[in-house]
Amino acid sequence: MPRDILVCTVGTSLLDQVQLLEPSAPLRVASERNNAQGVAQALLELDPLSSACGAEINSVASIISTGSLAEQALIELLVPDTAQGRNVARYLELYFRNQRCPIRFREVRVQVVEELNDSNPKRFRAMGLRELVRRIAEVIQYHGAQRVAINATGGYKGEICLAGLVGQALEVPVYYMFERLTEVVELPPQPMSLDFSLWLDNFELFRFLGRRHDADPEELIRNLGGQPDERLEPLLDRAENQRVALSPVGELFHRQMMYRFHLAR
C-alpha cells in the first residue's frame, strides 16, 4: 500500500517569519489582522520553499519533492495547546486544502494536543508530551504504519524529539528539516531495545493507565492486586498529589508493545 498520510507537528515558525517581512507585505498585513483567509491567499502566492512560508510548509514541500509520499491523501496537523498554535493551524489548514495549493492534500485534519504548551512545564512533560505520543500512535494504528510518515520539524524541541522516537518505535519514517538546510533528512534509526516480557507481565497496569490520564495510588493497587513492579518506575510519573500516570516514555513503550503484539497476531 502506498505511503500517503503525513503526520505533521506544528509550531509558530510561520509567525516568526512573518515578522521579518516588510510591514506592507500582504502576508504580514493579513497575519497582524488575524485574517486566516488572507494569510492562506498570501501564502499561495509564494513558493512553498520560500522561508516566509515557515518551517512546516517548507518541510512538507521538501518531503513531497523527494517522492517520499506516493499520494497526498491526508495531512494530520498536531497543534500546540496555545492561541498562536491554533491560529497557525487554521492558516495551514486553509492553505493545504486550497485547490491552488501546489502541495495540496485531499484531506486536512487538525488536532489540538491538550496541555502541549509551556505555561506549566510539569503538565507539559507529564500530560502534553504523553498526549502527543497517544495522538501519533492512534493515527498509525488506524491507518497502518505502511501508509504513514511523520514530519517532526515544527513545534517544541522536546516534541520534535519525542515524535521522532514514536515513528522509529512504530516503524514509520520520520523527517526533519534543519534550519540551515533546504531539504528534509530522514532521521536515522535509533537502537531501541524494549522488554516485551516486562510489558506482558504488567499488561494490566498498562491497560489500566493507558485508558486514563492518571489514577489514585490506592485505586491502582486495588486494580492490580498489589504494588506496581519496581522495574516500571522509569515509565511512570507521580504528580505532587501522588496520582500515578504513564510518563511520555511509558506511553511510547505501551504503544510499541501493542504494535508488536498485533504484528505477532
XYZ file of all heavy atoms in Angstrom, residues 8-13 56 76-80 84-85 88-89 92 116 151 153-156 159:
170
model
N 2.114 15.783 10.902
C 2.992 16.947 10.936
C 2.847 17.693 12.260
O 1.753 18.179 12.583
C 2.645 17.874 9.768
S 3.725 19.297 9.597
N 3.929 17.754 13.037
C 3.905 18.588 14.240
C 3.976 20.051 13.812
O 4.646 20.401 12.840
C 5.077 18.255 15.174
O 6.313 18.401 14.460
C 4.972 16.830 15.694
N 3.270 20.899 14.551
C 3.127 22.307 14.160
C 3.649 23.212 15.265
O 3.348 23.011 16.446
C 1.651 22.641 13.858
C 1.469 24.140 13.610
C 1.168 21.834 12.656
N 4.427 24.208 14.877
C 4.885 25.242 15.800
C 4.447 26.613 15.322
O 3.416 26.748 14.662
N 5.227 27.631 15.639
C 4.858 29.009 15.258
C 5.911 29.633 14.350
O 6.075 30.844 14.302
C 4.678 29.878 16.510
O 5.881 29.846 17.294
C 3.511 29.376 17.347
N 6.638 28.795 13.610
C 7.670 29.290 12.704
C 7.103 30.296 11.707
O 7.748 31.304 11.396
C 8.308 28.115 11.959
O 9.100 28.556 10.888
N 6.969 24.554 8.607
C 6.019 23.477 8.337
C 5.778 23.322 6.833
O 5.886 22.214 6.288
C 4.694 23.741 9.058
C 4.753 23.577 10.562
C 5.410 24.766 11.276
O 5.595 25.817 10.630
O 5.724 24.642 12.463
N -2.247 15.237 8.862
C -2.718 15.411 10.243
C -1.829 16.456 10.903
O -0.640 16.230 11.101
C -2.615 14.092 11.013
C -3.559 13.009 10.558
C -4.845 12.970 11.380
O -4.995 13.816 12.288
O -5.677 12.088 11.093
N -2.402 17.598 11.243
C -1.657 18.673 11.874
C -1.828 18.572 13.387
O -2.933 18.740 13.897
C -2.148 20.032 11.373
C -2.068 20.260 9.854
C -2.722 21.585 9.487
C -0.625 20.222 9.365
N -0.741 18.280 14.105
C -0.776 18.180 15.559
C -0.306 19.505 16.136
O 0.853 19.895 15.971
C 0.102 17.029 16.034
C -0.294 15.646 15.495
C 0.596 14.570 16.095
C -1.759 15.337 15.777
N -1.209 20.188 16.830
C -1.062 21.601 17.143
C -0.882 21.818 18.636
O -1.569 21.183 19.447
C -2.330 22.357 16.658
C -2.198 23.844 16.894
C -2.585 22.057 15.189
N 0.031 22.726 19.052
C 0.157 23.030 20.474
C -1.100 23.680 21.035
O -1.859 24.327 20.310
C 1.360 23.981 20.537
C 1.479 24.542 19.163
C 0.983 23.491 18.234
N -1.706 31.002 19.655
C -0.889 31.128 18.455
C -0.864 29.819 17.668
O -0.925 29.832 16.434
C 0.540 31.535 18.826
C 0.691 32.994 19.222
C 2.145 33.388 19.344
O 2.989 32.595 19.738
N 2.447 34.625 19.009
N -0.779 28.704 18.372
C -0.780 27.417 17.699
C -2.064 27.193 16.909
O -2.033 26.721 15.773
N -2.008 29.398 13.711
C -1.166 28.836 12.658
C -1.834 27.617 12.031
O -1.811 27.436 10.808
C 0.227 28.465 13.219
C 1.036 27.701 12.169
C 0.980 29.719 13.649
N -2.454 26.785 12.854
C -3.133 25.595 12.338
C -4.240 25.977 11.369
O -4.428 25.325 10.332
C -3.699 24.779 13.483
N -2.649 27.016 8.076
C -2.148 25.861 7.335
C -3.282 25.006 6.791
O -3.194 24.475 5.673
C -1.240 25.018 8.236
C 0.055 25.681 8.722
C 0.819 24.747 9.650
C 0.925 26.107 7.550
N -0.172 20.728 25.670
C 1.096 20.889 24.966
C 1.385 22.388 24.831
O 1.203 22.993 23.780
C 1.048 20.217 23.592
C 2.405 20.008 22.907
C 3.253 19.029 23.699
C 2.235 19.515 21.481
N 6.413 14.139 9.850
C 7.233 15.330 9.686
C 7.375 15.967 11.063
O 6.436 16.570 11.578
C 6.576 16.294 8.701
C 7.347 17.600 8.571
O 8.511 17.683 8.966
N 6.712 18.611 8.028
N 9.313 18.455 12.088
C 10.068 19.702 12.002
C 9.526 20.786 12.929
O 10.287 21.540 13.534
C 10.077 20.215 10.548
O 10.651 19.220 9.699
C 10.867 21.503 10.428
N 8.204 20.903 13.033
C 7.607 22.015 13.767
C 7.412 21.719 15.242
O 7.329 20.567 15.660
N 7.328 22.781 16.040
C 6.967 22.618 17.443
C 8.122 22.741 18.407
O 9.239 23.121 18.049
N 7.840 22.419 19.674
C 8.843 22.474 20.730
C 9.931 21.421 20.492
O 9.670 20.380 19.893
C 8.193 22.207 22.090
C 7.125 23.193 22.482
C 5.771 22.861 22.367
C 7.453 24.449 22.981
C 4.776 23.756 22.740
C 6.461 25.355 23.356
C 5.123 25.001 23.235
O 4.150 25.887 23.596
N 9.053 18.069 21.815
C 8.008 17.481 20.969
C 8.624 16.854 19.727
O 8.267 15.732 19.317
C 7.038 18.596 20.596
C 5.922 18.229 19.679
C 5.080 19.431 19.298
O 5.368 20.553 19.779
O 4.140 19.256 18.529
